[in-house]
Amino acid sequence: MDDLIRIGASEAARRIANGKLTSVRYTEALLARIAEREPVVGAWIHLDPDAALAQARAADRRAPAGPLHGVPVGLKDIIDTADMPTGYGSPIYAGHRPGRDARSVAQLRAAGAVILGKTVTAEFATYHPGKTANPHNPAHTPGGSSSGSAAAVADFHTPLSLGTQTAGSIIRPASFNGILGYKPTFDDFDYGGLHALAPSLDTLGVFARDFEDLSLSRQVLSRRPVRAVAAPAAFVPRIGVCRTPMWPKGDADMQQAYERTVERLASAGAELAKIELPADFKALIDAQTLIFMAEGARHLEREWREPGALLSPELRDLLERGRACSESAVAAAHALALRCRAQLADLMRPVDVLLVPSSVGEAPAGLYATGDPVFSRIWTHLHVPCITYPIGLGDQQLPLGAQVVGAHRDDDRLIEIAWWMAERSAKWTFVA
């Protein structure tokens, strides 16, 4: 395997900028990897090698002018692109060509990125999966809904890809694939030009294998001032050990890996404090699910009314349940989130971050479902930033992840602290 495919986006950008690498050479290496592995992994729904190489050649003809100059990036196929089809994971939109790029795509292009192609998404970023398999074991799910974006990064098709999370669609697939997944503070990245599902929850995020690349993505995509993070935290962080009310839902593999991670962090000198979530937080799971369904029903109303069997039975059932949600119940769910956000801010005063599970366990067998997002619903609903990193393997030799939750709008510090934690407790499991 060409060693070039292993470098991150930041390193690739540096080599291209100083003349030690060309965008064409790097893009060719990634395309060769895709040609070799795509029949197994199925991460891409649209890939045009000639168009990607044309972008790379154009980048090589220009002086570097942006932080991602000449670096290929993948996009989840709910993100609009004017020069590529965007199908939202649904046959309703087969061959659909948006009139313009999403705001995030325009930002990537302005930063000099090569848009490599569109990655597989579950139907409208919900639950019905596409063709993608887990690159560690193709008999297992890669998670979802950002399945193709996670698998593409894990399998060295691209160093960086964009995904979205409305329940657990960044953190869970990143955990299942043994890579980094970053869900920013809600609304930190512009969601314009993405197919909405539940706008009070929908969040654009990033998959990578390198913490520096998470910071780089913020520099390109954030709507707010960003502090570049080029190294792990230079201080010993205060970490809240928060098993959450969902702990019993986790399997033995996950629970044991989490406890080992706590032990490693303690041995590394981290200041640990046990954090118990108030009773209100358990109700957040049902509240988030209700909002997910109710807003989804409203924003997919036209598709729901389309004649013929163009929606999966799973999505049709979800939308019908969402249509039955009362306005008062939705208002109560939002009110609960507001109360819990205030409580969380108080809970986190003695600590810098929380350490929580990323998923129930390893990626389940089969490609018919994408796994349970139960360990992400609370944090998505609370609008706080989260990062998952790999902490080892389970009994099936598939990755397990730990999730680091930061304070609202404290994304840069979250990245440097999670980096510190990963250096002392991560067990990297990238596909060879």
Side-chain angles (χ1 to χ4, degrees), residues 78-115:
I78 65 163
I79 303 173
D80 282 353
T81 43
D83 59 349
M84 302 176 189
T86 306
Y88 314 123
S90 170
I92 294 173
Y93 289 94
H96 170 62
R97 185 65 65 95
R100 62 181 179 180
D101 287 337
R103 173 60 180 157
S104 53
V105 179
Q107 290 170 304
L108 289 170
R109 293 193 200 277
V114 170
I115 305 302

Side-chain angles (χ1 to χ4, degrees), residues 313-383:
E314 299 96 323
L315 181 55
R316 189 169 290 279
D317 175 68
L318 183 146
L319 298 181
E320 288 171 357
R321 284 187 288 146
R323 289 169 61 83
C325 295
S326 68
E327 290 186 11
S328 61
V330 173
H334 283 298
L336 175 64
L338 287 174
R339 292 198 304 273
C340 289
R341 284 171 199 151
Q343 291 180 55
L344 181 64
D346 289 337
L347 277 172
M348 292 192 67
R349 292 189 198 285
V351 297
D352 298 306
V353 297
L354 301 179
L355 176 70
V356 304
S358 293
S359 65
V360 170
E362 295 171 290
L367 303 183
Y368 51 85
T370 60
D372 189 344
V374 67
F375 280 103
S376 292
R377 288 188 183 277
I378 282 180
W379 315 113
T380 303
H381 201 17
L382 294 179
H383 291 174

Side-chain angles (χ1 to χ4, degrees), residues 216-282:
L216 179 61
S217 74
R218 280 186 49 71
Q219 295 169 54
V220 172
L221 297 170
S222 181
R223 305 165 78 164
R224 295 169 178 83
V226 169
R227 174 173 57 83
V229 177
F235 56 90
V236 175
R238 301 167 302 163
I239 300 169
V241 178
C242 183
R243 292 173 179 83
T244 80
M246 296 80 72
W247 180 259
K249 290 183 175 291
D251 64 21
D253 281 347
M254 183 281 289
Q255 293 183 356
Q256 291 165 11
Y258 180 92
E259 301 296 359
R260 285 194 300 269
T261 300
V262 172
E263 292 170 4
R264 292 182 192 122
L265 292 169
S267 297
E271 296 182 28
L272 301 181
K274 185 176 181 180
I275 300 292
E276 296 282 354
L277 297 179
D280 277 353
F281 280 64
K282 190 170 185 179

